[in-house]
Amino acid sequence: MNSNPSPSNSSRFEGCTLTGALSVLTEVRDAVCVIHGPSGCTHHNFSLLHATLLSNDRPGVPRLLSTRLTEKDIIFGGEEALEATIARALSLFPAPSSVFVLSTCIVETIGDDTAAVSAKAWGVPVIAVPTAGFLGGVFETGIKNALSSVASLARPAGERTLSANLVGEKNLEYGVDENAAEIGRLLARLGIGINLRFVRGIGTGDVGRLGSAAVNILREPALRPVGDDLKRRFNTPFVDSFPAGLSGTCRFLEDVGRICGIDASAAVEGERAFQREMLSRFTDIGGSRVCFRSPHPMLEGDPVAEAVSTECAAALDLAVEEDGTPIPLPYPAPVGTAGLRRMLNRWRVLVREKGRG
Amino acid sequence: MKQIALYGKGGIGKSTTAANLSAALAGEGLDVLQIGCDPKHDSTRMLMHGTWIPTVLDLIRERGDENITVDDVVYRGFRGVRCVEAGGPEPGIGCAGRGIIATFQLLERLDALKGDVIVYDVLGDVVCGGFAMPMREGYAQEIYLVTSGELMSIYAANNIAKAIARLSRRARSRCTLGGVICNAKNIEGERDLVDDFARRINSRLIAYIPRDRVVQVAELHRQTVVEYAPDSDQAAVYEELGRTIYANQTTSIPTPLEMDELESFALEFVQV
């Protein structure tokens, strides 16, 4: 997920709009996703999502249904197949509380009107999400389209609570829940609770309270268009990224405090002390020589990850030199102080291995 | 086996020309197959005396393509001309171009593409790859452009010439332009205009079909002119067209006009 995918590493950052959208929509746990296209579009996404759930020890299967279009439907139009599949989705047990209808390349090519079919009186919300990849979108476009589509289920902005939404968590990466817990810990320093994880393991009804948070916390700056969209809908201000780095984490507390009208100085002071305590556990690698490397030849260095690593190296008095212990830059950048601790644990292992020669 | 395709603007009289051409060729003792490649599926209707034959795509939709035989899709009309209609989706939905491709694949599998002459009668504009299917390798080697002297019709013919030029550049392609047929609308100087257009795109006027009321009368009787008024001058024109096309050995790669050339060409002929 990257706002500016580079052709040199397209294999990592581009990808299918449909997959991006499904990574969000399958986290509405009582919804069914209808994928309007050939069965293969559903199959490979099912495999990916299911494998990710399993490898993160999350039981359950993604609730995907394909309209299973064949050449016959392409020639004569696939809208009837879509209607039948939405009806089938609604007849499943347990009955879905909402249905998302995702388009594919071929149905956009032949001009099937998924929005019109979805707009019929189905009894529960049936929401069309444009996800045809060939129109130029990438994985990230799918995430944005999906988040905006789910937001349409929310009630109009009502009474606000001193709480925050987490917006656009990267559901396919490792450590999603650890990162959310870290944000929860930091927000607790300001007396702010988490209103809604938008979208991670929630129900259709939960989306109703999307507009009642005091602040939206975006997973990363690439989601700014979603932040803007939510601001238009609910007038909720946003912080454009999860915190990264020692000073970045303190700055995050200040930003959230400012938006919520809370004096963050005590929270920042507390976090600085927490960070000093955390760093003190790594004094054993102090003074070592390290050298930062791109995490993989296919990946360009992430400037945020590099800045965070350099900052930590300075705090631990590590020497960054060409022939130092090679340390791959993290991808994505670690979240908060807890993320740094996990990163430094990995550094320690590498430095010790090198030391043993 | 000679495979030819008729292309031209919608409503220009392609189907009437194709059906009379097929009837005339059959009159020469030739085994003729006419394939209508248009969702309107009315190409062969006069050969079938007004009967709407089942279309290939309707049959595929109803039965699936595993359970279709040659007899389900090929119907014998006037003088034994074998008639096929591709058919297609209702207007405004689906993908008619893909329908043409599916039809050709089925006809190939059924081994239905045989005879002395195959006449492909194709929808007006080559709007997508599907409608260029009859021009591809293994199908029509000679394309005939049907046009009147109306400028919109000439524009359409020029566009189709572009498709021929494009496809003829492909390796192994055998698609060429056989000639231009003027289906007259009784416009002043029409024959000269179409003749000049044909030469400018590196082709020639291969036939001039005058406008004659007998065409409409024959259609009201659900017949081709060749059947309804076999002794008429018009029937003789179609018979001559059949002999000319069947004997034609001269084809060309067209050089379609650019838009500004077309406009200045139009200005030369239109009385302002």
Side-chain angles (χ1 to χ4, degrees):
Chain A
M1 203 157 112
N2 187 305
S3 60
N4 183 22
S6 149
S8 67
N9 50 29
S10 60
S11 61
R12 176 63 182 82
F13 291 118
E14 293 187 348
C16 184
T17 315
L18 177 61
T19 307
L22 285 171
S23 76
V24 171
L25 298 172
T26 51
E27 290 293 332
V28 181
R29 302 308 240 175
D30 55 3
V32 168
C33 292
V34 169
I35 299 168
H36 188 31
S39 58
C41 293
T42 302
H43 178 87
H44 90 261
N45 279 297
F46 180 92
S47 302
L48 172 80
L49 293 163
H50 193 209
T52 305
L53 284 172
L54 290 177
S55 65
N56 285 305
D57 293 325
R58 302 173 78 205
V61 292
R63 295 185 88 191
L64 311 184
L65 274 186
S66 174
T67 56
R68 308 180 76 88
L69 296 188
T70 61
E71 187 178 36
K72 187 179 73 177
D73 303 299
I74 300 314
I75 294 168
F76 291 102
E79 293 180 12
E80 282 175 30
L82 176 57
E83 279 201 56
T85 309
I86 293 173
R88 198 177 139 225
L90 294 173
S91 73
L92 293 177
F93 182 83
S97 303
S98 58
V99 175
F100 296 102
V101 174
L102 297 98
S103 56
T104 58
C105 296
I106 185 66
V107 302
E108 289 289 354
T109 305
I110 68 170
D112 268 7
D113 194 341
T114 50
V117 175
S118 303
K120 290 189 159 193
W122 290 104
V124 302
V126 175
I127 299 162
V129 189
T131 45
F134 80 104
L135 296 174
V138 292
F139 184 88
E140 181 190 297
T141 321
I143 290 183
K144 289 179 195 161
N145 291 352
L147 290 172
S148 290
S149 299
V150 180
S152 69
L153 289 167
R155 290 187 297 269
E159 205 163 301
R160 281 188 199 284
T161 58
L162 185 57
S163 63
N165 295 324
L166 306 189
V167 176
E169 291 179 73
K170 298 179 174 190
N171 292 316
L172 299 186
E173 73 182 0
Y174 291 102
V176 179
D177 291 328
E178 288 88 338
N179 290 340
E182 173 67 352
I183 304 296
R185 182 187 69 80
L186 291 166
L187 292 175
R189 287 195 183 279
L190 296 164
I192 296 174
I194 290 178
N195 174 61
L196 184 68
R197 293 177 73 180
F198 184 74
V199 175
R200 173 81 172 181
I202 61 173
T204 300
D206 297 328
V207 183
R209 63 174 189 270
L210 175 62
S212 55
V215 59
N216 285 326
I217 296 168
L218 311 186
R219 176 62 183 88
E220 60 184 358
L223 291 170
R224 288 191 72 100
V226 177
D228 290 333
D229 180 36
L230 296 177
K231 190 167 186 190
R232 259 193 312 279
R233 288 173 195 257
F234 310 110
N235 204 25
T236 313
F238 64 84
V239 174
D240 76 358
S241 179
F242 280 15
L246 296 165
S247 53
T249 299
C250 295
R251 207 160 45 240
F252 171 80
L253 289 169
E254 286 164 357
D255 290 345
V256 175
R258 190 169 52 250
I259 286 172
C260 297
I262 296 169
D263 176 7
S265 51
V268 169
E269 203 39 58
E271 187 62 18
R272 285 208 177 106
F274 183 75
Q275 289 178 346
R276 280 194 296 275
E277 192 276 330
M278 184 275 289
L279 290 168
S280 72
R281 300 183 196 186
F282 294 94
T283 46
D284 58 310
I285 58 169
S288 306
R289 294 178 320 121
V290 296
C291 173
F292 298 123
R293 296 264 190 263
S294 162
H296 188 274
M298 291 294 287
L299 292 171
E300 284 175 4
D302 173 0
V304 176
E306 189 155 11
V308 163
S309 299
T310 306
E311 185 189 36
C312 278
L316 286 172
D317 199 22
L318 304 179
V320 181
E321 289 169 10
E322 265 302 302
D323 58 348
T325 303
I327 291 191
L329 290 168
Y331 183 87
V335 171
T337 305
L340 294 176
R341 189 179 60 230
R342 288 197 295 276
M343 178 183 82
L344 292 177
N345 272 316
R346 287 192 293 275
W347 288 16
R348 170 188 276 149
V349 171
L350 292 166
V351 168
R352 282 182 178 170
E353 273 177 2
K354 180 82 183 290
R356 280 198 296 270
Chain B
M1 183 170 68
K2 194 173 179 87
Q3 299 194 69
I4 66 168
L6 269 57
Y7 278 86
K9 179 177 170 291
I12 202 63
K14 283 184 303 297
S15 295
T16 304
T17 307
N20 278 290
L21 172 64
S22 291
L25 289 167
E28 300 285 319
L30 297 167
D31 178 14
V32 182
L33 172 65
Q34 178 166 328
I35 303 176
C37 304
D38 186 329
K40 289 200 305 293
H41 63 95
D42 58 356
S43 170
T44 62
R45 197 160 162 251
M46 295 303 126
L47 289 166
M48 295 303 305
H49 301 133
T51 305
W52 297 95
I53 62 174
T55 71
V56 175
L57 290 172
D58 277 343
L59 289 164
I60 291 177
R61 176 157 57 169
E62 284 155 20
R63 302 186 197 172
D65 56 4
E66 296 304 316
N67 303 309
I68 299 173
T69 64
V70 175
D71 293 340
D72 296 322
V73 295
V74 181
Y75 293 82
R76 284 198 184 272
F78 175 61
R79 283 182 178 164
V81 173
R82 290 172 299 125
C83 301
V84 172
E85 291 286 353
E90 292 293 308
I93 193 164
C95 183
R98 183 69 215 176
I100 300 297
I101 295 169
T103 299
F104 275 58
Q105 285 170 347
L106 183 77
L107 294 174
E108 287 270 7
R109 212 176 64 231
L110 296 177
D111 200 19
L113 298 173
K114 56 190 179 190
D116 298 318
V117 185
I118 300 179
V119 177
Y120 300 95
D121 176 19
V122 193
L123 165 142
D125 291 313
V126 192
V127 287
C128 69
F131 289 100
M133 192 72 188
M135 296 183 188
R136 291 201 205 169
E137 185 200 351
Y139 302 113
Q141 295 113 38
E142 290 168 34
I143 311 298
Y144 292 90
L145 296 176
V146 185
T147 181
S148 72
E150 287 176 314
L151 290 171
M152 291 317 293
S153 172
I154 298 273
Y155 287 152
N158 190 61
N159 260 336
I160 296 155
K162 283 183 190 168
I164 300 168
R166 173 188 300 280
L167 291 173
S168 65
R169 283 198 295 272
R170 290 187 182 167
R172 292 181 301 162
S173 171
R174 295 169 64 199
C175 163
T176 56
L177 179 55
V180 179
I181 298 168
C182 178
N183 197 35
K185 288 257 164 143
N186 281 358
I187 299 167
E188 203 181 326
E190 192 168 20
R191 184 176 193 144
D192 292 341
L193 184 148
V194 177
D195 183 73
D196 195 24
F197 166 72
R199 277 188 281 109
R200 289 193 196 207
I201 64 166
N202 191 34
S203 185
R204 63 191 172 119
L205 182 67
I206 199 160
Y208 175 81
I209 303 171
R211 190 176 181 82
D212 193 318
R213 199 173 153 274
V214 74
V215 176
Q216 276 71 46
V217 177
E219 287 195 351
L220 285 173
H221 287 83
R222 300 174 174 183
Q223 291 175 15
T224 56
V225 175
V226 173
E227 180 177 11
Y228 175 73
D231 301 324
S232 64
D233 292 346
Q234 194 74 4
V237 168
Y238 288 123
E239 279 155 6
E240 179 61 27
L241 173 69
R243 281 191 292 274
T244 307
I245 285 180
Y246 192 65
N248 185 25
Q249 304 281 349
T250 312
T251 63
S252 63
I253 306 298
T255 53
L257 303 179
E258 295 299 326
M259 207 54 191
D260 53 345
E261 292 177 295
L262 257 179
E263 282 174 350
S264 55
F265 170 74
L267 274 174
E268 284 173 40
F269 279 87
V270 175
Q271 315 287 323
V272 185

